[in-house]
mmCIF file of all heavy atoms in Angstrom:
data_model
loop_
_atom_site.group_PDB
_atom_site.id
_atom_site.type_symbol
_atom_site.label_atom_id
_atom_site.label_comp_id
_atom_site.label_asym_id
_atom_site.label_seq_id
_atom_site.Cartn_x
_atom_site.Cartn_y
_atom_site.Cartn_z
ATOM 1 N N ARG A 42 158.065 112.713 246.110
ATOM 2 C CA ARG A 42 157.638 112.826 247.541
ATOM 3 C C ARG A 42 158.385 111.752 248.363
ATOM 4 O O ARG A 42 158.940 110.775 247.812
ATOM 5 C CB ARG A 42 156.195 112.672 247.713
ATOM 6 C CG ARG A 42 155.617 111.263 247.467
ATOM 7 C CD ARG A 42 154.131 111.304 247.481
ATOM 8 N NE ARG A 42 153.472 109.966 247.463
ATOM 9 C CZ ARG A 42 153.351 109.263 246.360
ATOM 10 N NH1 ARG A 42 153.704 109.774 245.151
ATOM 11 N NH2 ARG A 42 152.758 108.093 246.446
ATOM 12 N N THR A 67 149.443 103.439 235.968
ATOM 13 C CA THR A 67 150.589 103.756 235.123
ATOM 14 C C THR A 67 151.797 104.210 235.880
ATOM 15 O O THR A 67 151.703 104.781 236.938
ATOM 16 C CB THR A 67 150.211 104.835 233.984
ATOM 17 O OG1 THR A 67 149.861 105.999 234.780
ATOM 18 C CG2 THR A 67 149.131 104.416 233.079
ATOM 19 N N ILE A 69 154.687 106.742 235.230
ATOM 20 C CA ILE A 69 154.774 107.916 234.330
ATOM 21 C C ILE A 69 156.181 108.551 234.371
ATOM 22 O O ILE A 69 156.651 108.778 235.465
ATOM 23 C CB ILE A 69 153.646 108.994 234.705
ATOM 24 C CG1 ILE A 69 152.295 108.337 234.655
ATOM 25 C CG2 ILE A 69 153.804 110.112 233.784
ATOM 26 C CD1 ILE A 69 151.213 109.307 235.069
ATOM 27 N N PHE A 70 156.699 108.776 233.227
ATOM 28 C CA PHE A 70 158.003 109.464 233.105
ATOM 29 C C PHE A 70 157.755 110.783 232.402
ATOM 30 O O PHE A 70 157.001 110.927 231.502
ATOM 31 C CB PHE A 70 159.024 108.665 232.296
ATOM 32 C CG PHE A 70 159.399 107.322 232.893
ATOM 33 C CD1 PHE A 70 158.658 106.188 232.749
ATOM 34 C CD2 PHE A 70 160.553 107.183 233.657
ATOM 35 C CE1 PHE A 70 158.977 104.993 233.233
ATOM 36 C CE2 PHE A 70 160.922 106.015 234.210
ATOM 37 C CZ PHE A 70 160.152 104.884 234.040
ATOM 38 N N VAL A 76 160.922 109.800 236.960
ATOM 39 C CA VAL A 76 159.770 109.105 237.415
ATOM 40 C C VAL A 76 158.867 110.103 238.098
ATOM 41 O O VAL A 76 159.118 110.672 239.141
ATOM 42 C CB VAL A 76 160.079 107.988 238.400
ATOM 43 C CG1 VAL A 76 158.835 107.326 238.824
ATOM 44 C CG2 VAL A 76 161.054 106.981 237.718
ATOM 45 N N ILE A 77 157.679 110.430 237.453
ATOM 46 C CA ILE A 77 156.747 111.324 238.050
ATOM 47 C C ILE A 77 155.717 110.629 238.892
ATOM 48 O O ILE A 77 155.214 111.154 239.954
ATOM 49 C CB ILE A 77 156.057 112.086 236.879
ATOM 50 C CG1 ILE A 77 157.068 112.945 236.131
ATOM 51 C CG2 ILE A 77 154.923 113.013 237.472
ATOM 52 C CD1 ILE A 77 157.760 113.966 236.942
ATOM 53 N N ASP A 78 155.363 109.447 238.468
ATOM 54 C CA ASP A 78 154.410 108.645 239.258
ATOM 55 C C ASP A 78 154.740 107.149 239.147
ATOM 56 O O ASP A 78 155.007 106.686 238.008
ATOM 57 C CB ASP A 78 152.946 108.804 238.803
ATOM 58 C CG ASP A 78 151.886 108.350 239.768
ATOM 59 O OD1 ASP A 78 152.119 108.473 240.943
ATOM 60 O OD2 ASP A 78 150.903 107.769 239.333
ATOM 61 N N GLY A 79 154.763 106.455 240.241
ATOM 62 C CA GLY A 79 155.122 105.064 240.254
ATOM 63 C C GLY A 79 156.389 104.690 240.930
ATOM 64 O O GLY A 79 156.802 103.461 240.969
ATOM 65 N N ARG A 82 155.948 101.725 243.317
ATOM 66 C CA ARG A 82 155.865 100.412 242.697
ATOM 67 C C ARG A 82 157.264 99.992 242.169
ATOM 68 O O ARG A 82 157.613 98.787 242.249
ATOM 69 C CB ARG A 82 154.878 100.534 241.459
ATOM 70 C CG ARG A 82 153.417 100.362 241.839
ATOM 71 C CD ARG A 82 152.499 100.907 240.779
ATOM 72 N NE ARG A 82 152.369 102.397 240.851
ATOM 73 C CZ ARG A 82 151.898 103.119 239.916
ATOM 74 N NH1 ARG A 82 151.532 102.593 238.711
ATOM 75 N NH2 ARG A 82 151.757 104.397 240.043
ATOM 76 N N ILE A 102 154.220 114.244 229.755
ATOM 77 C CA ILE A 102 154.032 115.415 230.631
ATOM 78 C C ILE A 102 155.377 115.980 231.085
ATOM 79 O O ILE A 102 156.393 115.263 230.997
ATOM 80 C CB ILE A 102 153.188 115.099 231.800
ATOM 81 C CG1 ILE A 102 153.829 113.974 232.626
ATOM 82 C CG2 ILE A 102 151.758 114.689 231.395
ATOM 83 C CD1 ILE A 102 153.084 113.641 233.856
ATOM 84 N N HIS A 103 155.367 117.164 231.579
ATOM 85 C CA HIS A 103 156.504 117.770 232.151
ATOM 86 C C HIS A 103 156.505 117.479 233.688
ATOM 87 O O HIS A 103 155.517 117.215 234.311
ATOM 88 C CB HIS A 103 156.500 119.321 231.889
ATOM 89 C CG HIS A 103 157.829 119.902 232.273
ATOM 90 N ND1 HIS A 103 158.008 120.498 233.539
ATOM 91 C CD2 HIS A 103 158.979 120.086 231.620
ATOM 92 C CE1 HIS A 103 159.281 120.976 233.585
ATOM 93 N NE2 HIS A 103 159.847 120.750 232.449
ATOM 94 N N ALA A 104 157.679 117.613 234.313
ATOM 95 C CA ALA A 104 157.799 117.328 235.732
ATOM 96 C C ALA A 104 156.839 118.270 236.548
ATOM 97 O O ALA A 104 156.336 117.831 237.649
ATOM 98 C CB ALA A 104 159.224 117.597 236.270
ATOM 99 N N ASP A 105 156.493 119.452 236.038
ATOM 100 C CA ASP A 105 155.612 120.339 236.815
ATOM 101 C C ASP A 105 154.190 119.743 236.941
ATOM 102 O O ASP A 105 153.422 120.218 237.718
ATOM 103 C CB ASP A 105 155.552 121.675 236.165
ATOM 104 C CG ASP A 105 156.802 122.476 236.176
ATOM 105 O OD1 ASP A 105 157.651 122.143 237.109
ATOM 106 O OD2 ASP A 105 157.022 123.425 235.478
ATOM 107 N N SER A 106 153.930 118.775 236.063
ATOM 108 C CA SER A 106 152.583 118.190 236.197
ATOM 109 C C SER A 106 152.474 117.250 237.398
ATOM 110 O O SER A 106 151.339 116.737 237.608
ATOM 111 C CB SER A 106 152.267 117.359 234.931
ATOM 112 O OG SER A 106 152.341 118.187 233.818
ATOM 113 N N PHE A 107 153.453 117.107 238.167
ATOM 114 C CA PHE A 107 153.454 116.188 239.346
ATOM 115 C C PHE A 107 152.266 116.611 240.214
ATOM 116 O O PHE A 107 151.575 115.736 240.755
ATOM 117 C CB PHE A 107 154.727 116.405 240.112
ATOM 118 C CG PHE A 107 154.671 115.688 241.461
ATOM 119 C CD1 PHE A 107 155.190 114.457 241.665
ATOM 120 C CD2 PHE A 107 154.272 116.397 242.590
ATOM 121 C CE1 PHE A 107 155.259 113.853 242.878
ATOM 122 C CE2 PHE A 107 154.241 115.777 243.860
ATOM 123 C CZ PHE A 107 154.754 114.538 243.979
ATOM 124 N N GLU A 108 152.010 117.900 240.394
ATOM 125 C CA GLU A 108 151.007 118.276 241.378
ATOM 126 C C GLU A 108 149.586 117.982 240.880
ATOM 127 O O GLU A 108 148.669 118.046 241.697
ATOM 128 C CB GLU A 108 151.139 119.800 241.612
ATOM 129 C CG GLU A 108 150.862 120.637 240.476
ATOM 130 C CD GLU A 108 151.516 122.076 240.613
ATOM 131 O OE1 GLU A 108 152.591 122.137 240.988
ATOM 132 O OE2 GLU A 108 150.729 122.993 240.371
ATOM 133 N N THR A 109 149.402 117.559 239.668
ATOM 134 C CA THR A 109 148.051 117.330 239.188
ATOM 135 C C THR A 109 147.711 115.838 239.212
ATOM 136 O O THR A 109 146.583 115.431 238.857
ATOM 137 C CB THR A 109 147.854 117.820 237.741
ATOM 138 O OG1 THR A 109 148.655 117.056 236.920
ATOM 139 C CG2 THR A 109 148.240 119.306 237.607
ATOM 140 N N ILE A 110 148.654 114.983 239.573
ATOM 141 C CA ILE A 110 148.569 113.550 239.575
ATOM 142 C C ILE A 110 148.107 113.022 240.850
ATOM 143 O O ILE A 110 148.684 113.291 241.924
ATOM 144 C CB ILE A 110 149.892 112.868 239.141
ATOM 145 C CG1 ILE A 110 150.322 113.330 237.732
ATOM 146 C CG2 ILE A 110 149.701 111.337 239.167
ATOM 147 C CD1 ILE A 110 151.679 112.837 237.398
ATOM 148 N N ASP A 111 147.030 112.245 240.912
ATOM 149 C CA ASP A 111 146.662 111.473 242.070
ATOM 150 C C ASP A 111 147.140 110.039 241.886
ATOM 151 O O ASP A 111 147.134 109.559 240.781
ATOM 152 C CB ASP A 111 145.145 111.522 242.201
ATOM 153 C CG ASP A 111 144.623 112.900 242.615
ATOM 154 O OD1 ASP A 111 145.293 113.621 243.338
ATOM 155 O OD2 ASP A 111 143.587 113.207 242.067
ATOM 156 N N SER A 112 147.433 109.360 242.999
ATOM 157 C CA SER A 112 147.967 108.019 242.859
ATOM 158 C C SER A 112 147.556 107.092 244.022
ATOM 159 O O SER A 112 147.096 107.653 245.072
ATOM 160 C CB SER A 112 149.531 108.045 242.700
ATOM 161 O OG SER A 112 150.063 108.214 244.072
ATOM 162 N N GLY A 113 147.869 105.828 243.851
ATOM 163 C CA GLY A 113 147.557 104.905 244.901
ATOM 164 C C GLY A 113 148.375 105.132 246.102
ATOM 165 O O GLY A 113 148.201 104.678 247.186
ATOM 166 N N MET A 115 148.589 107.857 247.659
ATOM 167 C CA MET A 115 147.854 108.795 248.521
ATOM 168 C C MET A 115 148.634 110.215 248.513
ATOM 169 O O MET A 115 148.865 110.637 249.531
ATOM 170 C CB MET A 115 147.520 108.321 249.855
ATOM 171 C CG MET A 115 146.589 107.134 249.868
ATOM 172 S SD MET A 115 146.299 106.404 251.419
ATOM 173 C CE MET A 115 147.907 105.645 251.795
ATOM 174 N N ARG A 116 148.972 110.639 247.365
ATOM 175 C CA ARG A 116 149.695 112.016 247.305
ATOM 176 C C ARG A 116 148.747 113.041 247.847
ATOM 177 O O ARG A 116 147.585 113.039 247.617
ATOM 178 C CB ARG A 116 150.084 112.262 245.966
ATOM 179 C CG ARG A 116 150.884 113.590 245.756
ATOM 180 C CD ARG A 116 151.359 113.713 244.360
ATOM 181 N NE ARG A 116 152.423 112.678 244.079
ATOM 182 C CZ ARG A 116 152.335 111.837 243.136
ATOM 183 N NH1 ARG A 116 151.319 111.793 242.359
ATOM 184 N NH2 ARG A 116 153.324 110.960 242.877
ATOM 185 N N ASN A 117 149.271 114.011 248.662
ATOM 186 C CA ASN A 117 148.381 115.056 249.124
ATOM 187 C C ASN A 117 149.069 116.436 248.930
ATOM 188 O O ASN A 117 150.109 116.520 248.452
ATOM 189 C CB ASN A 117 148.074 114.825 250.656
ATOM 190 C CG ASN A 117 149.280 114.750 251.553
ATOM 191 O OD1 ASN A 117 150.344 115.419 251.313
ATOM 192 N ND2 ASN A 117 149.316 113.889 252.580
ATOM 193 N N VAL A 121 152.898 117.789 247.507
ATOM 194 C CA VAL A 121 153.065 118.734 246.434
ATOM 195 C C VAL A 121 153.981 119.867 246.867
ATOM 196 O O VAL A 121 154.895 120.289 246.171
ATOM 197 C CB VAL A 121 151.729 119.240 245.917
ATOM 198 C CG1 VAL A 121 151.838 120.336 244.853
ATOM 199 C CG2 VAL A 121 150.946 118.028 245.282
ATOM 200 N N ASN A 156 145.268 119.389 244.844
ATOM 201 C CA ASN A 156 146.695 119.328 244.757
ATOM 202 C C ASN A 156 147.258 120.346 243.670
ATOM 203 O O ASN A 156 148.350 120.870 243.889
ATOM 204 C CB ASN A 156 147.151 117.921 244.286
ATOM 205 C CG ASN A 156 147.084 116.927 245.519
ATOM 206 O OD1 ASN A 156 146.691 117.379 246.624
ATOM 207 N ND2 ASN A 156 147.428 115.677 245.276
ATOM 208 N N SER A 157 146.502 120.559 242.691
ATOM 209 C CA SER A 157 146.952 121.520 241.677
ATOM 210 C C SER A 157 146.908 122.942 242.102
ATOM 211 O O SER A 157 147.532 123.820 241.491
ATOM 212 C CB SER A 157 146.169 121.362 240.324
ATOM 213 O OG SER A 157 144.803 121.712 240.524
#
Side-chain angles (χ1 to χ4, degrees):
R42 71 184 189 280
T67 56
I69 303 176
F70 296 86
V76 179
I77 297 300
D78 194 38
R82 279 162 279 162
I102 59 174
H103 189 268
D105 291 342
S106 297
F107 172 92
E108 63 199 49
T109 69
I110 298 172
D111 292 320
S112 77
M115 295 177 289
R116 182 174 292 124
N117 58 32
V121 172
N156 285 358
S157 64

